[in-house]
Amino acid sequence: MAIVYSSLVYLGYILIFPGFLFCFVAGMLITGIDRKIVAKMQKRVGPPILQPMYDFFKLMGKETIIPAAANKTVFLAAPIVGLAAMVVIQLFIPVISTPILYGTADLIVILYLLLIPALAEIYGGSASGSPYAGVGLSREMVTIIACELPLVLIFLSVAKTVGNAMGTGLCFSLSDIAAYQAANGSLMLKASMIPAAIAMLLVIPGETGNHPFDAAEAETEICEGMLAEYSGAPLGIYKLTHAIKTFTLTALFVALFLGGIGTGIVLLDALIEFAICVVLTIIFISLVHAVTARLKIEQLFKYYWTAVSAIALISLVLAWFGM
Amino acid sequence: MDLPFVREAVKNLFSRSSCDMYPLKPSEAAEQYRGRIEYDPTKCINCHFCERVCAGGAISVVEVPVEEGTQITRTFDLSTCTFCNTCADFCNTHAIKLTKDYHMIGLKEGDLLVSGTFVKAAKKKPAPPPAEAKPEEKAAPAIKPRDDGKPVQDPSKCVYCGICAKKCLGEALTVDRKEKLWKLDEDKCVSCGTCEEVCPKKAIIM
Amino acid sequence: MILFNYIASFFLIVLGFYCIVTKYNAVKTVIGLSIADYGVNLLIISIGFNPGGTAPIYTWGELNPSSFFVDPIPQALTLTSIVIGACTTAMSLALVIKLKESYGTLDTREIRRLNG
Amino acid sequence: MTNLLSYTHFPVYSIMVLFLGAFLVVIAGKSKALRHIFAICAVTASLACLIALIKPVMIDGEVIAYWMGAREPAGGYAIGIALEVDALSLFFGLLIATAVFVSCCYSITYMRFDENVSQYYTLFLMLSGGVIGLVLSGDLFNMFIMVEILTFAAVALTAFRNKAHGALEAAFKYLVVGCIGSTCILAGTIMLYAQARTLNFAQLSAFIPGNFNTSTIIAFALLYIGFSTKAFIVPFHPLAADAHGAAPASISVLISGVLTKSGIYGIIRLTYFLFQSMALGKMQFLLVFIGSVSMFVCVTMALAQHDFKRLLAFHSISQIGYVLTACGLCTALGISAGLYHAMNHTLFKGLLFLAAGAVLQQTGTTDLNKLGGLSKRMPHTTVLFLIGAFSISGIPPFNGFASKWMVYQATYQKAVESGNIGFLFATIIALITSVLTLASFVKVSQSVFFGQLPEEYKDVKEVPFGMRFAMGIFAVLCIVTGLFRELVTHYLTEPAARAVFDVGKYINSMLGDGYASAVMGANAPVRTEVVFDMAGTWQPIHWLLLLCILLLAITLVALLGRYDTVSENKAALAEGKFDIFFGGEESVPSQVGGGDLFWGFKHNWRHYFSFMHDLHSGIVNDYALWAIVALALAMLYMLIVL
Amino acid sequence: MFKNLITESTAKSPWLFHINSGSCNGCDIELVAVLTPRYDAERFGFKLAGSPRHADIVVVSGPLTQQSLPRTLRAISQVPEPRCIVTIGSCPQSGNVFKGSYSVMAPLSKYVHVDVAVAGCTPKPEAIMDGLVQATEILKEKRKAWLEAKKNGLKDGPKAETEQEVPAAEDVPASGEEVQQ
């Protein structure tokens, strides 16, 4: 009996709470708020908050055209794998300070899991065989490389700081980080962590491919880049993955740097976390979206590998010398 | 990466949007906006000028002989019209007017056609104009306008400058300054009234 | 006397490497290789030398504690090393012939289709 | 010696079977079937012998010492030539035997178009016999002989298709620098013999740590350079790139999967056993530095390549960089991670080279700019290639990730323990290299398998089943070793790591108990316990379970939109409904691939790329110069350090 | 359960794909003006899509010159099924002042069934917005018609109007070869 119960709870975790349903709603709301705020900043009225939901369900009803030159199986399977991996990442991230799936993955696994949704889009685009997709995926790959260095430095510095405090000198597992923060205050307050937090906030728009860094999906230049040949349900799933990614990355930031403010009750924590994520998106994604122009791909790369990496490196060096 | 518009963006965030909510609050077009064509068939004298001047060829006329004259239906095809207002300028009887209504959405075939029909009374063959009205007949006390609306010249005022001939679109007038000759060709004349208007000496009466 | 052997073998090895590096003709590279190989062979032989020892050939009867031989193992190693040197030279000369056939030249500066 | 079937004889059987097979293949002469049977039987027999050895050596931890010709050591002095099989050499032996077995199955169908294939099989079996001999031998000069065998066989096999583009040139360069390496090994062996008057590994490792003097240190430098030529580490990596570019695919599997491992094995034996000097910080720094440099240089070179197999060659050297960095850490976790990555490397690199061979055979070219869209004509090869590509770039469920994850842990833990920031840079370089590997394999999959199919490859057919079966074996192994990380580490890599840290047992089992403590006295190698706790947690099985459940859920969501509204009614084809959107134009075939990908990255690093391009000039003399300069530097470094 | 939700949201998130077949850019500026803060079509979910595969409403402007006609038709055919075609300005409906020129193949309705025609030589942004809102209604009708047809058996729903009523467009010049005058 216990097995059945625990597997039901396990299934509940996956499909309902921090899993698919919660991500769907949270992701859609955050993207809706993001679009509304960007519109407001341009003195426009902007779409209703539930606009991403309408977009998603409209796309569900549309016809899915598969180009003759496309490789059908990869073309249709890629979005599903991308979305599944995205939700899996969301499961591994502790809700502020209570880890949901204990002991399955750690920081490095998260770093590599973040690649899968981007890879799903890349292989979807390349399977469609369109030259726009080719250019799009080349830019997407360069964006991934660009965002990798700062993320690596941030994760290493977080691991080192928590490791120092925990005595083992190194701690990658997310649940220990969450436990540490629950015990003695969120990491954001430590001196060595502030540059890492700033770097992480600068990386989020790049990682999710939002406006100033969306050379990969530039609808004006290369007709939506990798998604040029997608229509109907697969396109809807890609848009959903993009929405959930915004939520997941901000949730990751909250889990890594603001762990201390958890109250212990999981549902309440989830609301607090969602609120913080909305605030972070407004400041670091919408404001940046409304204010900047799209960067060329090599400017994006140079920006990430020099400016943001330098900030992250400061925190790594500080963490290294035991601050 | 300097972010020049941050202050402005944040200010906008908390100020009212500059959108004037079109479908909820109707918005009027500007004063002399050239929108949907309004055609008043009663005023129309079927002078065909509007067709000739229309750049886009948007105006088409169907003339059906009916017992008391010809039934003329003139249709303005808004989907070809460039709304340049030339036809309204040329229409002397001001039958065509471009209104301020900009709402011109065509869903079915006929939505964008504005048409009007009127019956033009058949022309009774008037007695031939007194042919003897020679140029040298001077002392006619008051030149009375002819009944069929064609122009009549008042030799006393006329200086034979030839402007009326130049302006006449139908080339119905021939004027010779030396022999002081002013001749009207009845069937070419459509009695549009341009010569009367343009004559500097007001020597033409209709 | 032994010291001279070591200096000679060192000198041979360095000469071989010098020839490989500086000469741009494929055949000369092969010659350089074999010179370096001969240097090492000389080194192996001169290591096994015990002053005053005789050649390590004996019949079962003569073997008595007082007989004093030169160390036999390096000699065996030298044999194999010479055989290997010969094979290397044979193989590389075969390759050089084929290279001349297909590239038309022996100048190693021309033989560089695979680069970058 | 009475019972010929007891497992103590298996090491010799596994080597001799292969050489016997090489001989029989020549006798088989004309008949193809006989030749294939001999080859397959020899390879399977050798693999079987090694698998049979797992029980005694790996699980029970016994070290088999096998004296050729039953010449037991007399009076503590080794006379005969010995084969020594401990967990480390068996680990490498198993690895090599599997790679050889799969490559042999592959080459049966792969070489069906070539003529004089019997010479191919002789060389093939000689090469595999040589490598297994090298790994199992306990005698230094015996190792040198085996190194010579496999160098000759590899050079001959590289030039096997001498009309291929650059095959002869690659073989010549490989031979020249290979012989420089062999000469160094020979000189090193002899200088050790001059000091210790013995060639036996155990006796040497008992003798040398006691008395370091200039000649043993120079011998160490010579042997180190000799083995790194065989492992194609940084100063010698253009050899591998040229050799793979021209060699047939089944031979590239051997060169990249097997020869590099033999080089790594040599270096591990040299540094951990013969000279036991890895405890010194400076020595660890040398190996980790060389490893990181080769990691980064080769991955950036791979990004700039236009040829499929040359790109794979550069990747195999960058993965060897990973292995060397991990093994150079001298921590239990490091060695275990390094060996695990070496095994994974053989598996996924073999798979990728076989896929490249399949593409080469069907389309006749491996130029990334000309190929495209092959996934529609060769679906199985594409799936197998993708498994290989995902595992090399370290995508979670596959085996590349499991070992890279351990490598990062090892390097970062070492950095924390030793407080030396150098190892931290190794971790950062390792992580960045992993992303660049992913980038170059996205480039390959876009320019070869996806994108648009050019005209001339319209009627390309799928590869015959034999080749796909071989690739399938590698693919299955890639997935299995990725998923069951604990099993692999428990049964394979940890015993090997224990063997590396237990030199005393290695010596005693060869020359009788108590020998090591008797001879070395003070600095007898103490047996360090192999226990390491992971700083992070990673259970692939849970992860996979999660992914599958979510895949089901999301397919339900997708069906909500009824994917069946997929309208593929080809009738509307005339209108261009199913053509690619070209801004309205007729869809002209235009493949985006090969050179014009990742402009952003290459533009920012253009000075670096042009410098590296000129550095690899392709002239034999330059490569030889690098080899000799590396030798001189190594000698200088060793003299200062040791 | 989702069926009417999908039908509702079809009208609520129409994505536009703009094709300029030789227009004087007057209508193009007006179309973009619709998206500016003053008129803000995004309130109704309008968004310019980059590729025809993403579009619901195809907005055509310009008199369909001879070079751009085949390309426009191909782009329109690449739009997935419940789609609407809206023409802006009088050029696509009749060729405006350029009628009769050798290179103008004007009324788009000769080749494709036009759902909404917004008249005006540069129609006012409000007019365009009305037209587009009208188009979203038609989208919903098309989706409903498509569901009915699907319910009573037609495999792929009703043959889209575009194929039914279009007279055999025999004088569509195959792309590339010149139109004999």
Side-chain angles (χ1 to χ4, degrees):
Chain A
M1 239 330 269
I3 308 288
V4 169
Y5 176 70
S6 67
S7 56
L8 269 176
V9 166
Y10 194 75
L11 214 60
Y13 274 151
I14 293 172
L15 291 181
I16 291 110
F17 170 58
F20 184 66
L21 218 58
F22 176 69
C23 290
F24 180 87
V25 171
M28 286 300 179
L29 282 180
I30 275 203
T31 329
I33 292 167
D34 170 33
R35 267 175 82 172
K36 185 81 172 177
I37 296 293
V38 165
K40 279 278 183 240
M41 287 185 185
Q42 297 163 352
K43 277 181 88 69
R44 284 190 290 125
V45 171
I49 300 290
L50 294 180
Q51 185 60 32
M53 295 263 192
Y54 299 138
D55 291 350
F56 178 74
F57 284 113
K58 182 252 323 196
L59 284 172
M60 277 299 159
K62 296 264 305 172
E63 174 199 7
T64 310
I65 299 181
I66 299 181
N71 177 342
K72 185 175 177 195
T73 37
V74 176
F75 188 77
L76 290 181
I80 293 180
V81 168
L83 184 59
M86 199 70 235
V87 177
V88 163
I89 298 173
Q90 178 63 31
L91 283 172
F92 288 147
I93 295 173
V95 180
I96 298 185
S97 57
T98 51
I100 302 299
L101 285 170
Y102 185 81
T104 320
D106 66 357
L107 267 182
I108 299 179
V109 179
I110 296 278
L111 187 70
Y112 273 78
L113 277 179
L114 280 173
L115 289 179
I116 297 190
L119 260 181
E121 218 170 303
I122 284 176
Y123 275 100
S126 93
S128 69
S130 130
Y132 291 123
V135 176
L137 74 88
S138 141
R139 291 182 176 185
E140 174 75 16
M141 201 61 225
V142 172
T143 320
I144 291 173
I145 299 173
C147 294
E148 191 72 15
L149 182 59
L151 266 181
V152 158
L153 296 175
I154 293 164
F155 284 173
L156 289 184
S157 56
V158 166
K160 184 73 177 75
T161 329
V162 176
N164 285 350
M166 301 247 287
T168 58
L170 178 66
C171 155
F172 277 119
S173 112
L174 273 167
S175 24
D176 297 352
I177 292 174
Y180 167 76
Q181 289 190 43
N184 34 37
S186 47
L187 271 177
M188 188 71 155
L189 312 175
K190 287 177 76 72
S192 70
M193 277 295 109
I194 293 168
I198 296 166
M200 181 78 174
L201 287 173
L202 293 177
V203 163
I204 288 177
E207 186 75 28
T208 55
N210 275 26
H211 172 65
F213 308 106
D214 62 352
E217 282 151 24
E219 57 273 4
T220 46
E221 293 144 24
I222 43 173
C223 313
E224 308 276 341
M226 292 163 284
L227 308 179
E229 288 307 316
Y230 271 92
S231 59
L235 179 61
I237 290 175
Y238 270 129
K239 294 289 177 191
L240 178 60
T241 318
H242 185 82
I244 295 179
K245 187 170 225 183
T246 335
F247 173 62
T248 310
L249 276 165
T250 34
L252 184 64
F253 173 80
V254 169
L256 281 185
F257 293 104
L258 302 172
I261 52 176
T263 60
I265 310 138
V266 182
L267 287 177
L268 197 62
D269 275 4
L271 287 178
I272 298 169
E273 180 182 24
F274 180 69
I276 299 169
C277 288
V278 165
V279 168
L280 286 175
T281 331
I282 289 173
I283 299 164
F284 281 92
I285 293 181
S286 314
L287 183 63
V288 172
H289 180 296
V291 156
T292 53
R294 178 176 299 134
L295 285 179
K296 281 202 323 211
I297 188 68
E298 102 273 7
Q299 290 164 337
L300 181 146
F301 185 83
K302 186 185 293 173
Y303 166 66
Y304 267 114
W305 270 46
T306 48
V308 180
S309 304
I311 300 172
L313 203 62
I314 299 167
S315 85
L316 185 63
V317 165
L318 284 177
W320 184 259
F321 294 115
M323 295 282 238
Chain B
M1 243 176 83
D2 57 348
L3 301 174
F5 306 109
V6 175
R7 219 167 345 89
E8 197 180 9
V10 174
K11 192 155 51 59
N12 290 346
L13 192 59
F14 301 106
S15 65
R16 230 179 48 72
S17 80
S18 66
C19 165
D20 56 9
M21 297 308 210
Y22 160 64
L24 312 178
K25 294 207 296 304
S27 80
E28 273 309 308
E31 202 31 54
Q32 347 56 336
Y33 182 76
R34 300 196 294 264
R36 182 181 288 274
I37 293 174
E38 211 174 63
Y39 170 63
D40 175 3
T42 53
K43 289 186 186 163
C44 175
I45 50 169
N46 193 18
C47 67
H48 295 291
F49 261 33
C50 52
E51 280 156 60
R52 267 204 217 108
V53 297
C54 174
I59 304 162
S60 56
V61 179
V62 173
E63 286 166 9
V64 173
V66 169
E67 60 284 1
E68 72 281 342
T70 55
Q71 192 202 15
I72 298 165
T73 36
R74 171 171 274 105
T75 50
F76 295 79
D77 181 358
L78 289 179
S79 62
T80 324
C81 164
T82 60
F83 301 92
C84 55
N85 207 18
T86 328
C87 53
D89 300 344
F90 266 85
C91 181
N92 283 324
T93 57
H94 304 297
I96 306 168
K97 187 175 166 320
L98 273 75
T99 62
K100 272 198 317 190
D101 165 22
Y102 51 80
H103 187 76
M104 291 173 281
I105 309 291
L107 295 177
K108 302 181 298 312
E109 196 42 46
D111 289 0
L112 294 173
L113 301 175
V114 174
S115 63
T117 59
F118 64 100
V119 177
K120 189 166 183 194
K123 287 201 292 303
K124 291 177 291 309
K125 269 288 164 252
E132 68 291 10
K134 299 286 180 296
E136 67 282 344
E137 182 242 321
K138 287 278 182 294
I143 307 297
K144 57 177 177 34
R146 291 168 38 160
D147 47 9
D148 64 359
K150 301 275 190 218
V152 173
Q153 182 225 15
D154 174 358
S156 61
K157 293 178 187 161
C158 178
V159 291
Y160 302 100
C161 63
I163 294 177
C164 54
K166 258 209 274 348
K167 283 291 175 197
C168 176
L169 281 163
E171 290 99 14
L173 288 168
T174 50
V175 168
D176 192 345
R177 185 185 283 277
K178 273 191 289 309
E179 286 89 9
K180 292 205 180 321
L181 164 69
W182 185 84
K183 200 171 100 21
L184 171 69
D185 176 349
E186 262 81 10
D187 41 19
K188 272 191 188 163
C189 170
V190 291
S191 65
C192 65
T194 319
C195 46
E196 185 194 15
E197 265 173 26
V198 86
C199 174
K201 296 291 180 203
K202 293 291 172 274
I204 298 173
I205 304 131
M206 282 179 66
Chain C
M1 217 294 279
I2 282 302
L3 191 60
F4 175 72
N5 279 17
Y6 292 131
I7 295 165
S9 72
F10 172 73
F11 178 68
L12 268 174
I13 292 176
V14 166
L15 183 70
F17 284 160
Y18 176 77
C19 170
I20 293 172
V21 170
T22 47
K23 290 289 174 272
Y24 285 112
N25 183 332
V27 174
K28 290 199 173 107
T29 321
V30 171
I31 294 166
L33 266 178
S34 47
I35 290 173
D37 211 21
Y38 295 149
V40 173
N41 292 347
L42 179 60
L43 180 68
I44 302 173
I45 274 299
S46 48
I47 277 177
F49 173 74
N50 300 344
T54 62
I57 307 155
Y58 55 89
T59 57
W60 195 252
E62 285 164 4
L63 190 61
N64 50 47
S66 66
S67 57
F68 182 63
F69 298 122
V70 172
D71 186 348
I73 293 180
Q75 290 168 3
L77 303 186
T78 324
L79 274 178
T80 27
S81 168
I82 291 166
V83 162
I84 289 170
C87 298
T88 322
T89 325
M91 165 92 78
S92 41
L93 285 179
L95 278 176
V96 163
I97 296 164
K98 276 285 177 188
L99 275 177
K100 179 76 169 79
E101 242 171 60
S102 65
Y103 285 75
T105 162
L106 276 181
D107 186 344
T108 46
R109 275 170 299 199
E110 262 76 41
I111 306 174
R112 49 185 294 225
R113 285 195 199 139
L114 300 169
N115 55 31
Chain D
M1 292 317 134
T2 55
N3 168 0
L4 284 180
L5 287 176
S6 84
Y7 64 84
T8 51
H9 294 293
F10 281 168
V12 177
Y13 290 163
S14 64
I15 300 169
M16 283 310 138
V17 158
L18 287 169
F19 288 130
L20 183 68
F23 175 69
L24 287 177
V25 160
V26 174
I27 296 184
K30 285 291 159 284
S31 81
K32 252 195 226 295
L34 204 56
R35 185 188 313 145
H36 291 168
I37 291 164
F38 280 140
I40 287 289
C41 289
V43 165
T44 10
S46 144
L47 179 62
C49 297
L50 289 175
I51 288 177
L53 279 176
I54 290 183
K55 173 77 177 64
V57 171
M58 286 285 187
I59 297 161
D60 305 347
E62 180 203 344
V63 177
I64 303 169
Y66 184 82
W67 292 93
M68 297 292 202
R71 280 204 198 81
E72 294 299 332
Y77 189 84
I79 302 165
I81 298 171
L83 286 184
E84 171 117 36
V85 181
D86 70 346
L88 178 69
S89 46
L90 185 65
F91 175 80
F92 276 99
L94 270 172
L95 201 57
I96 289 160
T98 11
V100 158
F101 172 76
V102 175
S103 174
C104 191
C105 304
Y106 185 82
S107 55
I108 286 177
T109 37
Y110 181 67
M111 301 304 276
R112 61 188 188 289
F113 297 122
D114 291 63
E115 71 282 355
N116 57 47
V117 179
S118 62
Q119 283 88 332
Y120 169 83
Y121 279 113
T122 353
L123 289 168
F124 182 91
L125 292 172
M126 292 287 286
L127 178 70
S128 28
V131 172
I132 292 186
L134 172 91
V135 166
L136 299 184
S137 83
D139 180 283
L140 201 52
F141 193 76
N142 192 2
M143 259 180 154
F144 167 71
I145 300 290
M146 293 300 173
V147 160
E148 279 306 312
I149 294 175
L150 55 91
T151 317
F152 281 152
V155 163
L157 282 167
T158 317
F160 187 73
R161 291 176 171 165
N162 46 29
K163 271 169 287 309
H165 169 76
L168 290 169
E169 174 195 343
F172 184 66
K173 283 185 215 166
Y174 187 10
L175 184 65
V176 166
V177 181
C179 287
I180 291 176
S182 313
T183 324
C184 294
I185 293 181
L186 184 60
T189 324
I190 286 314
M191 292 177 82
L192 283 185
Y193 179 78
Q195 295 303 318
R197 286 294 165 203
T198 167
L199 285 169
N200 185 302
F201 228 87
Q203 201 168 348
L204 272 173
S205 38
F207 172 82
I208 293 172
N211 33 39
F212 272 16
N213 54 31
T214 45
S215 70
T216 41
I217 291 167
I218 288 178
F220 181 30
L222 284 166
L223 281 168
Y224 172 73
I225 286 296
F227 279 118
S228 55
T229 27
K230 295 293 166 269
F232 305 120
I233 303 177
V234 165
F236 317 102
H237 62 281
L239 304 181
D242 298 350
H244 291 311
S250 54
I251 298 309
S252 318
V253 169
L254 285 191
I255 294 176
S256 79
V258 166
L259 290 195
T260 45
K261 299 304 173 304
S262 63
I264 292 291
Y265 172 81
I267 290 173
I268 291 177
R269 275 281 186 239
L270 189 67
T271 48
Y272 280 94
F273 283 76
L274 272 188
F275 287 81
Q276 289 150 27
S277 60
M278 275 318 284
L280 286 168
K282 289 281 185 305
M283 279 309 300
Q284 292 159 12
F285 173 74
L286 173 72
L287 283 184
V288 168
F289 176 73
I290 294 272
S292 318
V293 166
S294 67
M295 250 196 284
F296 191 73
V297 161
C298 291
V299 124
T300 41
M301 276 305 291
L303 264 176
Q305 290 306 322
H306 294 306
D307 183 80
F308 190 4
K309 288 174 87 168
R310 239 175 112 76
L311 184 137
L312 289 179
F314 276 114
H315 274 300
S316 73
I317 306 148
S318 97
Q319 300 297 326
I320 290 300
Y322 270 102
V323 174
L324 201 63
T325 323
C327 291
L329 295 172
C330 187
T331 61
L333 178 59
I335 291 282
S336 169
L339 297 179
Y340 191 22
H341 196 65
M343 178 175 85
N344 291 342
H345 170 69
T346 308
L347 297 178
F348 54 65
K349 187 50 69 178
L351 177 57
L352 290 170
F353 268 114
L354 298 186
V359 165
L360 176 69
Q361 189 166 54
Q362 293 304 338
T363 56
T365 166
T366 51
D367 183 359
L368 293 179
N369 295 331
K370 292 195 184 65
L371 288 166
L374 288 181
S375 63
K376 290 176 85 64
R377 310 297 305 164
M378 299 163 74
H380 300 290
T381 323
T382 320
V383 168
L384 293 164
F385 171 80
L386 282 181
I387 292 174
F390 286 154
S391 28
I392 190 168
S393 33
I395 300 300
F398 295 96
N399 63 357
F401 175 73
S403 54
K404 278 185 182 171
W405 179 70
M406 281 172 79
V407 166
Y408 302 140
Q409 307 256 346
T411 41
Y412 203 37
Q413 238 162 10
K414 178 72 182 179
V416 165
E417 278 149 19
S418 67
N420 161 357
I421 206 154
F423 297 108
L424 185 63
F425 289 125
T427 326
I428 295 171
I429 291 177
L431 279 160
I432 296 303
T433 312
S434 161
V435 165
L436 294 175
T437 321
L438 174 71
S440 54
F441 275 94
V442 161
K443 164 175 163 169
V444 169
S445 60
Q446 157 70 0
S447 10
V448 174
F449 289 101
F450 296 110
Q452 285 174 3
L453 192 62
E455 271 318 305
E456 60 268 25
Y457 304 125
K458 269 284 180 284
D459 46 17
V460 164
K461 283 182 298 308
E462 181 54 282
V463 252
F465 177 70
M467 294 160 85
R468 274 180 281 155
F469 173 72
M471 289 199 260
I473 300 174
F474 268 143
V476 164
L477 284 175
C478 268
I479 295 172
V480 162
T481 47
L483 284 183
F484 305 105
R485 188 180 62 80
E486 292 84 6
L487 287 183
V488 168
T489 40
H490 181 62
Y491 286 110
L492 289 175
T493 47
E494 258 150 44
R498 250 179 251 117
V500 166
F501 283 100
D502 184 2
V503 183
K505 183 172 178 202
Y506 181 81
I507 296 168
N508 296 343
S509 64
M510 277 288 269
L511 302 159
D513 291 351
Y515 179 85
S517 47
V519 164
M520 299 166 74
N523 51 25
V526 69
R527 178 182 137 76
T528 52
E529 208 32 54
V530 169
V531 66
F532 43 84
D533 49 353
M534 290 302 195
T537 53
W538 163 238
Q539 270 98 3
I541 300 295
H542 286 292
W543 187 87
L544 205 63
L545 197 65
L546 269 172
L547 195 70
C548 298
I549 295 171
L550 271 160
L551 275 177
L552 279 174
I554 287 153
T555 22
L556 284 179
V557 169
L559 286 181
L560 148 79
R562 268 196 314 294
Y563 260 25
D564 66 357
T565 56
V566 167
S567 72
E568 254 191 301
N569 48 5
K570 292 299 175 201
L573 207 56
E575 275 174 39
K577 174 167 182 174
F578 294 97
D579 292 352
I580 302 280
F581 170 62
F582 255 80
E585 287 300 325
E586 191 88 35
S587 71
V588 175
S590 68
Q591 160 70 344
V592 172
D596 46 18
L597 290 177
F598 311 141
W599 175 76
F601 177 67
K602 286 184 188 151
H603 182 73
N604 275 322
W605 287 61
R606 56 192 179 286
H607 303 302
Y608 168 82
F609 275 109
S610 60
F611 169 69
M612 288 310 286
H613 182 78
D614 304 341
L615 202 61
H616 297 71
S617 60
I619 302 170
V620 180
N621 305 61
D622 290 356
Y623 296 161
L625 180 67
W626 290 354
I628 289 148
V629 162
L631 177 62
L633 284 179
M635 279 193 197
L636 212 63
Y637 186 80
M638 299 300 175
L639 284 174
I640 298 163
V641 163
L642 291 178
Chain E
M1 155 256 287
F2 282 106
K3 214 175 294 302
N4 47 31
L5 177 62
I6 292 176
T7 320
E8 282 314 313
S9 48
T10 318
K12 279 206 171 63
S13 99
W15 290 353
L16 311 177
F17 181 68
H18 175 221
I19 300 178
N20 172 353
S21 59
S23 134
C24 65
N25 287 0
C27 300
D28 307 338
I29 308 168
E30 289 305 315
L31 177 66
V32 176
V34 166
L35 296 166
T36 51
R38 177 147 178 224
Y39 301 101
D40 197 2
E42 202 172 354
R43 287 176 282 148
F44 309 108
F46 287 104
K47 186 170 83 103
L48 272 179
S51 122
R53 303 283 193 208
H54 296 198
D56 302 321
I57 300 174
V58 182
V59 181
V60 181
S61 67
L64 288 162
T65 54
Q66 181 232 322
Q67 281 300 337
S68 70
L69 175 67
R71 286 144 181 95
T72 313
L73 291 182
R74 185 173 297 110
I76 288 177
S77 75
Q78 284 172 352
V79 176
E81 204 23 63
R83 65 179 169 217
C84 264
I85 291 157
V86 172
T87 56
I88 293 191
S90 43
C91 284
Q93 293 146 26
S94 61
N96 205 317
V97 288
F98 316 107
K99 195 156 40 190
S101 134
Y102 63 92
S103 77
V104 164
M105 306 284 154
L108 184 61
S109 40
K110 245 189 336 189
Y111 314 100
V112 165
H113 170 75
V114 174
D115 296 302
V116 178
V118 182
C121 196
T122 33
K124 227 170 136 36
E126 283 95 341
I128 297 177
M129 211 177 326
D130 289 345
L132 291 178
V133 166
Q134 202 66 45
T136 56
E137 297 312 318
I138 294 172
L139 264 178
K140 211 194 271 191
E141 261 65 44
K142 283 196 176 181
R143 165 118 184 124
K144 286 202 180 87
W146 186 74
L147 285 177
E148 260 67 45
K150 195 111 170 82
K151 204 181 283 108
N152 43 39
L154 264 181
K155 165 131 186 7
D156 255 342
K159 218 50 194 94
E161 288 82 359
T162 47
E163 281 83 12
Q164 276 149 356
E165 285 156 16
V166 169
E170 70 297 338
D171 58 1
V172 172
S175 75
E177 39 93 4
E178 287 317 306
V179 173
Q180 306 76 17
Q181 199 38 14

